[in-house]
Amino acid sequence: MAGRPGLDPTEEGKSYSALFVLMVAVLLVSAVWSIWDDNISRRPWKQYQVQWDHLAYDKYMKDAADEQKRLEADPEYQKVSKELAEARTELDSGATAAKLAALRAQLTDLNNTADDKDQLVRFTKSYLTERWYDYNHAVQEKEDPVPYKKEIDQLNAELARENIVSDKAKANLQAVKDQIEALNSKVDSLTDQMKKLTAKRDDSVEKADLWMIPVKFRHTVLLRYPKIPKIEQTAIDDFDRNAFDEAIARVDRCQSCHMGADKKGFENAPEPFRTHSNFAQIILKHPPEKLGCTPCHDGQGPAVSSVRAAHGDDPDWDSPMLRGDKMQSRCIKCHIDVGSLRDADGKPIAANWVDGERMFQQMGCAGCHLVAGYEDLPKIGPYLKLAAAKLDPSWTVRWITNPDDFRPFTRMPDFMFSRDQATALAAFILDSSSKNSKDWLAAHPELPTLQADVENPAFVEEGKGLFESVGCKACHAIEAGQHATPVGVIAGFGPGQTFTAKDFAPNLDKIAEKTSAAWVYAWLKNPRDFSPHTAMPSLRLSDHEAEALTAFLMTHGKKSEIDGIETALKNPEQIKKGEALVRKYGCFGCHEIEGMDKESRTGVELTIFGSKHLDELFFGNQTQIPETWDQWTFHKLQSPRIYATKDVEQLMPNFHFDNADIKNLIVFLAGMTQGRVQERYRMPGSEHQTQIVAGRRMVNYYNCVGCHIVEDRGGYIRRFYPGDEINFAPPILNGEGFKVQPEWLFAFLQGPTSIRPWLKIRMPTFHFNNGEDDSIVNYFTALSDVNVLYMFIDTNLIAPAELAAGAKLMTKDYFNCFSCHQQGDKKPEGPPSGWSPDLALAYQRLNPEWILKWIANPSALQPGTKMPSYYPGGPDDILGGNQDKQIHALLDYIFWFGTHPGETIPGQVATAPVKGEVSKK
């Protein structure tokens, strides 16, 4: 056949099949790749959900199998199963089955009859409605309504007859139903019992069916398929702010992968299917369906294209997912009192944040760095406005040069000053304080006998005994390498152990190198007279005791003068240079220095440090350090001047932090972020929470935990008491707010009085102002969650019968209370290690509600107490053996004899007691 004109004949013979096949193959591959990329490679959450479906199904079916195995060994299940099988057999065979079949057949006929009769009733009612319409229309049109009225009467009569027939049919129907129900009642009852017994198993099966959908034929499962994947999304309304400061929603899709986070039972499952830790405190109180995940974890909530994107591990994402202990940094965004957050076992949920905050406070970081909420923290360094009256010039220069040489665990950081810089600083500090120091020394002349007494071995030995007994060791160590109260991580802390935490108070090993005996004596007598804001309390030492303690301390260390130091320190150029260095390095951040009261902080503000972008962090020439916020902060705290360059000077001193302390500080600083969570999402603050936060800061500043265990922390001095002498140690203050009366605690803090006169250790006088007293009292009552309305018992109105019963219970024939408790000046029997406070003081000291609980179960309030428990099991011959009446009688008698010393129980019967009230939430 002829080809087309102008076309090369050979073209007609060419085949393009291979090209078409290739193009089809490319198109097919492209289509497959597009589907794969869109549904799988860029949707990893779908794969996770399918994996979760199988994991959850296997878990729940295993739970069901385990429960079935338990049921089969349960006698009650076996009994009900047997009875149910017998009842069903009886129901399905014999006369009962025949009767049931006949009743069911009869039921069908009766049901049809009842429906027919009811249908006639409804038809008649319909006719009545129609005739009433005709009747009303005739009346309105002024026509004759009588014919319609007759029909209405006829229909009413017919309806009455039909209702009788219908009701009878329904009664017959119900009678048959009742008979059928009676025959089925045993099976129904046993079935209900079986459902209760198998509820847990059936619930597991239902959960398994939820994730792997069953395809059934009748009651047989033919196959199962995974639940169709879908995005699990939570929208948190008005949680974020946009660039125009408008409230916008935050979207979380984290549970599209983390399917098991809000489900118990998957604690050992692999990620991302594991149950969230601290389930009861975190998930149940922070439901993800309302609050999402990113408010605590950060990350890129809406992202689902990859794990990396969802976790915010992209360099351009400002808030990558928080991992490990760093998640604790977000608690402060919604909770005022982070320190009181506890898990189900009572352990702190945010322990690293709490330790980091305490480290921030006790290391004086706020002296250089402004942080909102921490602006008014007291200075932690010694008072230097009287430095010349205290410090040895040569020691001062050596100390400033390198504090760690003198005290390896001092809180004073190393500024890496040269000897010349240290001399200049010492020159200014001593010169600026010289006038005030002269006046102070003139007002505190040295005792004429002090030098001789200091060199007296008997005084030294007596002073050693005082140092070890009155409480000095709670704050101060006295030998090199020893520690008293630590600041920082204290894992494995014990007597004499070397570790890297800081000392709360100075180690006094070389105190004689630093100062004079005259100053030590004056300081011991009245610390606040020298330093108006010192945390050092007064131990109310007598002159003789202060001399003895001074003598002991002055055996530790020896002065060593630097040649020519006196001349160098008086050089005006050095003094001027020293003043400039003080201003440059911000020594006034920790110390009160003459002429520096109005100086501002020298460090950068840290209020939103946790939100700083990498662009705002200067890495200097340290290219080996990964450029992340965590790494920058870690190395800055580890080696503060690591980022200094030839052109960029850095002034921060080296605190020689332990890595664990750095970790805690990082967690704390990471919580200092921009933005404020709206009130609707915050934990509602309470007065108690505010009081706890304020009081806890005071406890940290004054080191109450050096002697006492408070909030299950501290009591460091207790390690110096052998087990059989632990009763001589300061008391544990857990629950103190519920135990004592606030008025008594307030007065006690202002002027401590002896509660256990046989103890050698002393509660010191801290010279609190009224605001500080209130803060500590409120702190303890808030910790115990106690609202004190009033507290009073009119002991004159207590019935004599109750007093007599209480007195009898306390005698040797019963509880023998005074075998342990002191009575005025009369000491108890036995060794002092078993003695207890004078009960005559209880009426003004102890909360009556606490006494009731204490008598009922002492160990519940103070585990390990030596106080015996007499209840349950009180005597039967007093107050009819009624435990509550006996405990109240003991309370009444304790309060009565405290207010009526030396009196006998009155003979007349008075009215019922009037008691105060303590409200405990």
Side-chain angles (χ1 to χ4, degrees):
M1 186 174 74
R4 285 178 295 175
L7 182 67
D8 185 353
T10 61
E11 290 293 324
E12 294 290 334
K14 288 183 179 181
S15 173
Y16 291 92
S17 300
L19 180 61
F20 289 154
V21 169
L22 177 62
M23 295 302 295
V24 168
V26 170
L27 182 61
L28 178 62
V29 169
S30 299
V32 171
W33 176 84
S34 299
I35 295 171
W36 175 273
D37 184 56
D38 186 60
N39 286 276
I40 298 178
S41 64
R42 290 199 298 153
R43 302 288 189 274
W45 59 272
K46 291 187 176 182
Q47 301 173 54
Y48 284 128
Q49 288 196 14
V50 172
Q51 293 175 33
W52 161 259
D53 292 341
H54 287 85
L55 176 71
Y57 171 78
D58 292 342
K59 191 265 182 190
Y60 289 128
M61 289 303 291
K62 181 179 183 302
D63 289 348
D66 291 343
E67 178 63 12
Q68 180 61 34
K69 186 176 181 181
R70 186 196 69 80
L71 286 171
E72 290 171 356
D74 182 4
E76 184 179 1
Y77 174 80
Q78 295 173 2
K79 177 175 176 289
V80 174
S81 296
K82 181 179 179 181
E83 291 177 354
L84 181 58
E86 292 174 350
R88 284 175 174 166
T89 301
E90 180 183 354
L91 199 63
D92 296 337
S93 62
T96 304
K99 183 177 180 181
L100 187 60
L103 288 171
R104 284 173 176 163
Q106 188 179 356
L107 181 68
T108 302
D109 294 337
L110 290 173
N111 194 50
N112 292 334
T113 301
D115 286 344
D116 291 343
K117 301 306 179 184
D118 186 61
Q119 184 74 22
L120 291 175
V121 170
R122 282 182 277 142
F123 283 157
T124 302
K125 288 180 179 180
S126 177
Y127 296 148
L128 267 172
T129 302
E130 182 181 354
R131 290 300 170 264
W132 273 113
Y133 172 81
D134 293 337
Y135 175 84
N136 291 329
H137 185 268
V139 172
Q140 292 168 7
E141 296 295 327
K142 296 182 180 181
E143 297 175 356
D144 183 11
V146 173
Y148 301 116
K149 184 64 172 68
K150 288 181 180 180
E151 287 190 56
I152 289 172
D153 293 339
Q154 292 172 0
L155 287 171
N156 278 329
E158 185 179 346
L159 179 61
R161 291 191 299 272
E162 290 173 351
N163 274 329
I164 292 172
V165 173
S166 177
D167 290 344
K168 185 176 180 180
K170 289 178 180 178
N172 292 335
L173 176 64
Q174 187 60 46
V176 172
K177 286 183 177 179
D178 291 343
Q179 292 181 61
I180 293 174
E181 185 177 348
L183 291 172
N184 285 321
S185 61
K186 185 176 181 180
V187 170
D188 292 341
S189 176
L190 289 170
T191 300
D192 290 341
Q193 292 182 49
M194 183 60 73
K195 284 182 179 179
K196 291 178 180 179
L197 290 171
T198 61
K200 186 176 179 181
R201 181 201 65 190
D202 297 341
D203 180 63
S204 295
V205 173
E206 287 179 9
K207 289 178 178 178
D209 290 345
L210 178 67
W211 301 109
M212 291 293 288
I213 312 300
V215 177
K216 296 182 179 181
F217 177 73
R218 294 181 179 174
H219 298 294
T220 303
V221 177
L222 300 178
L223 58 91
R224 292 178 180 271
Y225 61 90
K227 187 178 179 180
I228 304 301
K230 69 173 184 177
I231 291 288
E232 299 291 340
Q233 177 170 295
T234 300
I236 316 171
D237 293 336
D238 300 334
F239 191 86
D240 286 326
R241 314 289 294 186
N242 63 15
F244 303 99
D245 197 32
E246 297 170 332
I248 57 173
R250 173 180 291 195
V251 174
D252 260 13
R253 294 172 176 168
C254 306
Q255 285 192 274
S256 297
C257 297
H258 293 271
M259 301 288 288
D262 61 345
K263 299 171 183 65
K264 297 191 71 173
F266 296 90
E267 289 78 11
N268 298 319
E271 290 292 7
F273 309 123
R274 189 173 301 159
T275 300
H276 199 292
S277 58
N278 286 327
F279 190 87
Q281 301 299 315
I282 303 298
I283 295 299
L284 296 185
K285 294 185 177 181
H286 308 76
E289 65 272 15
K290 293 182 179 179
L291 299 175
C293 302
T294 57
C296 295
H297 291 270
D298 277 4
Q300 190 175 181
V304 290
S305 59
S306 70
V307 173
R308 181 171 177 269
H311 290 177
D313 293 331
D314 190 295
D316 297 322
W317 188 254
D318 289 340
S319 52
M321 189 180 79
L322 301 175
R323 292 173 169 85
D325 296 325
K326 198 178 174 187
M327 287 184 292
Q328 300 171 18
S329 65
R330 291 299 177 264
C331 298
I332 191 61
K333 302 298 289 184
C334 296
H335 296 271
I336 295 174
D337 178 18
V338 177
S340 294
L341 299 178
R342 295 287 190 272
D343 63 16
D345 297 324
K347 296 179 181 179
I349 286 178
N352 297 90
W353 186 93
V354 172
D355 290 343
E357 182 198 38
R358 184 167 55 249
M359 196 77 177
F360 182 87
Q361 295 171 17
Q362 293 187 327
M363 294 303 295
C365 305
C368 291
H369 300 281
L370 177 64
V371 177
Y374 299 87
E375 307 94 327
D376 300 324
L377 293 180
K379 298 178 187 292
I380 68 161
Y383 185 73
L384 296 183
K385 290 186 177 182
L386 295 174
K390 171 185 178 182
L391 302 178
D392 176 78
S394 297
W395 176 89
T396 305
V397 172
R398 282 192 288 266
W399 171 257
I400 295 173
T401 303
N402 189 349
D404 292 326
D405 280 349
F406 184 75
R407 291 194 184 117
F409 305 111
T410 179
R411 285 192 281 171
M412 169 80 174
D414 182 7
F415 281 86
M416 294 159 277
F417 289 128
S418 66
R419 174 56 69 88
D420 182 64
Q421 288 176 312
T423 302
L425 283 161
F428 171 71
I429 290 169
L430 295 174
D431 178 75
S432 65
S433 64
S434 60
K435 181 181 182 305
N436 291 338
S437 296
K438 288 178 182 178
D439 295 339
W440 187 86
L441 290 170
H444 300 79
E446 181 178 323
L447 289 176
T449 60
L450 183 60
Q451 288 303 323
D453 291 338
V454 164
E455 298 172 1
N456 186 333
F459 266 74
V460 173
E461 191 62 26
E462 183 181 351
K464 179 181 179 182
L466 285 168
F467 186 89
E468 293 182 348
S469 63
V470 298
C472 305
K473 294 174 76 172
C475 295
H476 299 278
I478 193 63
E479 301 293 342
Q482 287 185 349
H483 302 276
T485 295
V487 174
V489 172
I490 55 173
F493 181 67
Q497 180 176 338
T498 299
F499 72 124
T500 54
K502 307 297 182 184
D503 288 327
F504 174 82
N507 186 310
L508 302 179
D509 176 45
K510 301 176 182 177
I511 187 173
E513 181 181 333
K514 170 183 178 180
T515 189
S516 65
W519 180 86
V520 172
Y521 174 83
W523 175 254
L524 291 173
K525 286 294 292 181
N526 190 354
R528 284 281 174 106
D529 182 60
F530 181 84
S531 178
H533 307 110
T534 181
M536 168 80 176
S538 169
L539 287 167
R540 303 182 300 283
L541 299 169
S542 66
D543 292 348
H544 178 83
E545 289 174 326
E547 282 191 85
L549 196 49
T550 301
F552 171 67
L553 292 174
M554 295 311 291
T555 63
H556 291 75
K558 185 178 180 181
K559 289 182 172 56
S560 175
E561 185 173 344
I562 300 173
D563 293 338
I565 193 64
E566 294 291 343
T567 302
L569 292 176
K570 293 177 181 178
N571 185 331
E573 291 297 322
Q574 287 282 55
I575 294 172
K576 184 177 180 181
K577 179 181 177 182
E579 180 179 4
L581 287 170
V582 167
R583 296 184 189 279
K584 178 179 179 180
Y585 287 94
C587 307
F588 41 79
C590 290
H591 303 278
E592 291 186 55
I593 301 173
E594 190 65 37
M596 299 290 176
D597 295 330
K598 296 184 179 181
E599 294 295 318
S600 58
R601 292 174 171 87
T602 57
V604 298
E605 183 175 354
L606 299 180
T607 299
I608 58 170
F609 177 73
S611 294
K612 280 202 170 186
H613 193 268
L614 290 178
D615 295 340
E616 301 174 86
L617 302 176
F618 178 67
F619 283 83
N621 298 324
Q622 304 301 323
T623 56
Q624 79 282 5
I625 298 176
E627 293 195 5
T628 66
W629 184 95
D630 289 58
Q631 287 294 322
W632 187 94
T633 307
F634 178 86
H635 287 90
K636 180 68 176 178
L637 292 171
Q638 185 183 60
S639 180
R641 298 181 185 175
I642 192 172
Y643 303 122
T645 64
K646 179 182 178 181
D647 300 318
V648 179
E649 183 181 22
Q650 301 205 332
L651 307 178
M652 181 173 168
N654 196 335
F655 289 86
H656 301 293
F657 288 126
D658 180 79
N659 284 353
D661 291 325
I662 293 177
K663 173 185 173 182
N664 292 339
L665 283 167
I666 287 175
V667 172
F668 171 72
L669 292 171
M672 304 291 107
T673 57
Q674 279 182 317
R676 177 180 173 83
V677 176
Q678 290 198 32
E679 291 298 327
R680 61 191 285 196
Y681 295 113
R682 291 173 59 85
M683 173 75 175
S686 68
E687 184 180 12
H688 276 185
Q689 291 174 342
T690 303
Q691 290 169 342
I692 289 172
V693 171
R696 191 178 286 133
R697 289 184 181 181
M698 288 196 62
V699 166
N700 291 338
Y701 179 72
Y702 285 106
N703 193 35
C704 303
V705 295
C707 286
H708 304 282
I709 294 178
V710 184
E711 293 192 78
D712 297 318
R713 186 180 75 88
Y716 298 109
I717 199 172
R718 295 172 68 88
R719 70 189 191 277
F720 296 111
Y721 292 85
D724 58 346
E725 295 182 7
I726 197 65
N727 207 34
F728 293 114
I732 297 172
L733 298 186
N734 292 334
E736 185 74 1
F738 179 49
K739 177 180 180 179
V740 301
Q741 300 178 29
E743 296 83 357
W744 175 87
L745 181 57
F746 182 87
F748 182 78
L749 291 173
Q750 287 193 324
T753 56
S754 180
I755 300 171
R756 299 172 178 83
W758 58 91
L759 297 185
K760 294 181 179 180
I761 195 167
R762 303 176 187 179
M763 170 67 185
T765 301
F766 284 91
H767 300 292
F768 297 125
N769 60 46
N770 287 343
E772 291 175 326
D773 284 328
D774 284 335
S775 183
I776 291 183
V777 172
N778 291 336
Y779 165 69
F780 282 111
T781 56
L783 277 178
S784 297
D785 205 13
V786 171
N787 292 324
V788 180
L789 304 179
Y790 69 96
M791 197 171 299
F792 173 73
I793 293 180
D794 190 343
T795 55
N796 293 314
L797 300 179
I798 299 175
E802 290 187 25
L803 295 177
K808 190 174 183 179
L809 286 166
M810 294 179 71
T811 62
K812 291 183 178 181
D813 295 331
Y814 291 90
F815 298 158
N816 198 15
C817 300
F818 295 114
S819 65
C820 295
H821 287 278
Q822 182 166 330
Q823 301 177 71
D825 296 329
K826 183 181 178 182
K827 297 293 190 291
E829 302 170 358
S833 60
W835 294 356
S836 298
D838 190 348
L839 291 178
L841 304 176
Y843 79 95
Q844 59 183 353
R845 172 174 168 251
L846 299 179
N847 173 359
E849 295 294 329
W850 180 88
I851 294 177
L852 295 175
K853 292 183 179 296
W854 174 255
I855 296 174
N857 190 353
S859 297
L861 295 179
Q862 186 175 314
T865 180
K866 291 185 177 182
M867 168 77 176
S869 179
Y870 297 106
Y871 296 99
D876 295 329
D877 58 339
I878 296 180
L879 298 176
N882 187 298
Q883 173 177 318
D884 291 338
K885 289 183 178 180
Q886 289 180 8
I887 293 174
H888 278 84
L890 285 166
L891 167 66
D892 290 338
Y893 181 64
I894 289 170
F895 269 63
W896 182 86
F897 76 72
T899 55
H900 297 75
E903 297 184 21
T904 58
I905 298 173
Q908 70 274 16
V909 178
T911 57
V914 178
K915 297 185 179 180
E917 181 179 354
V918 178
S919 170
K920 188 174 191 297
K921 289 185 180 179

